[in-house]
Amino acid sequence: PITLPGYDLLTPSGRDEARSYLERLDPDFVVMAPRCTEWSQMQNINQRTPIQVRLLRKPRHRQRVVLSFFDEVAQWQHERGRHGDRTAWMLENPLRSLAWSQEPLRATAEMTDVGVAVTDACVWEKRRPDTIELIKKPTKVIGTPEVVSKIDRRCFQNHSHCTFEGTMRCPDLQGDWKTIAISDWAGGYTDKFCRTLLEGVREVVSD
């Protein structure tokens, strides 16, 4: 992830540091997953009063700045790939996220030769660690066609799914069980998803 060193993408200095980091790193593959909290369908449902609408407007404005940065990074990586470098990228968000309708991500998706895929987390064995239930979480992915085509798989609806709301118990990196929001946990990738994704990456970046 481009935010791994801890850059604050909400600030100009943080974005400048992230740009410099990417240029130094010269990455073969870039994965982007914009924060979806402000763009969820639930946010619209919860906006019942003018005050609630105004309170949401400010964080959405801040997050549009981050979406613009992701568009910049995607365009940079995409153009490098089109001009001879063996590079790949992908950007993902929930299928019904309102972020997809924002101008920065529309610009990203409208670039030439951008692949589009829709997948469900349950296809990749995404299970709650406390109940072992599958979670569906429909997700849209755009990026290098050879990469995103590998994960363009949907659920066959032949099993049940757990709810996407509320909290759950999950072990942290030290093995201690903590209570976290299901939506926070659902953003992680399974080993099966990552292995399949990297098959597509290898097709692009390998000699």
Side-chain angles (χ1 to χ4, degrees), residues 1-159:
I2 64 172
T3 52
L4 184 61
Y7 301 125
D8 184 355
L9 300 181
L10 291 171
T11 67
S13 61
R15 293 191 294 275
D16 285 343
E17 291 173 355
R19 289 186 189 97
S20 297
Y21 169 75
L22 285 169
E23 290 171 358
R24 293 193 308 272
L25 186 66
D26 187 25
D28 293 330
F29 182 46
V30 174
V31 177
M32 291 166 280
R35 174 185 167 99
C36 58
T37 303
E38 289 79 9
W39 308 110
S40 71
Q41 295 287 343
M42 288 301 296
Q43 289 288 358
N44 278 1
I45 294 173
N46 293 333
Q47 307 314 302
R48 298 186 178 92
T49 69
I51 292 177
Q52 290 174 325
V53 172
R54 287 196 298 273
L55 288 175
L56 179 60
R57 190 176 298 151
K58 186 173 182 179
R60 278 187 172 176
H61 176 74
R62 290 197 300 267
Q63 290 303 318
R64 282 191 189 94
V65 174
V66 179
L67 294 182
S68 294
F69 178 77
F70 281 132
D71 172 52
E72 175 189 332
V73 172
Q75 301 244 12
W76 172 73
Q77 186 77 346
H78 189 67
E79 286 303 307
R80 295 198 313 145
R82 293 186 67 207
H83 290 88
D85 289 344
R86 293 180 177 273
T87 61
W89 64 279
M90 63 166 263
L91 187 152
E92 58 95 343
N93 227 231
L95 176 61
R96 296 177 182 84
S97 168
L98 297 176
W100 293 113
S101 65
Q102 302 305 302
E103 184 175 350
L105 294 197
R106 291 205 312 268
T108 308
E110 289 170 2
M111 290 189 295
T112 303
D113 298 325
V114 171
V116 181
V118 177
T119 191
D120 300 303
C122 56
V123 174
W124 310 105
E125 292 297 321
K126 183 71 173 177
R127 294 179 180 272
R128 285 181 53 161
D130 54 350
T131 65
I132 317 300
E133 295 173 286
L134 288 164
I135 188 167
K136 189 175 183 182
K137 195 199 173 191
T139 300
K140 179 179 176 180
V141 187
I142 63 175
T144 305
E146 295 89 341
V147 175
V148 301
S149 64
K150 293 289 186 180
I151 54 172
D152 194 15
R153 304 180 191 176
R154 298 304 307 269
C155 173
F156 288 123
Q157 304 293 346
N158 57 356
H159 52 251

Side-chain angles (χ1 to χ4, degrees), residues 124 151 189-199 201-202:
W124 310 105
I151 54 172
Y189 303 151
T190 66
D191 288 345
K192 183 178 179 180
F193 178 87
C194 292
R195 286 194 299 269
T196 305
L197 187 68
L198 290 176
E199 288 177 8
V201 174
R202 280 192 289 268

